[in-house]
Amino acid sequence: MVHRVLVRLLERAGCHVAGAESVADAHRHLEAGRFDLLVTDGILGDGGAADVIRRFREAHPDTPVLLCSGYLSDRQV
């Protein structure tokens, strides 16, 4: 639900959004495009966001990352 609300808000603000609900979806988006910002929850549908953030940083080393989560353990990020 938070994902849908955030996507809608960003799109209404004029942003192009590549929404992903899983690590696998995020990886597909990362391979296909250039990004100005990564906004991610710490926990995705099929795992933690650490691998997504690592891959994003490799492809976009100077691009900001915003990590949002209600709960994270040391093992998830």
Side-chain angles (χ1 to χ4, degrees), residues 2-50:
V2 173
H3 173 260
R4 287 186 298 242
V5 170
L6 185 56
V7 166
R8 244 183 270 142
L9 286 171
L10 290 170
E11 287 176 339
R12 286 182 184 165
C15 300
H16 173 74
V17 178
E21 294 185 22
S22 69
V23 173
D25 286 344
H27 286 173
R28 280 192 288 278
H29 286 299
L30 288 176
E31 291 172 6
R34 177 184 127 3
F35 299 89
D36 296 318
L37 172 69
L38 171 66
V39 179
T40 185
D41 191 348
I43 303 168
L44 300 170
D46 57 351

Side-chain angles (χ1 to χ4, degrees), residues 52-70:
V52 173
I53 294 169
R54 181 187 56 75
R55 281 190 170 186
F56 183 80
R57 283 281 183 226
E58 289 172 0
H60 310 281
D62 297 323
T63 304
V65 173
L66 176 60
L67 178 63
C68 307
S69 189

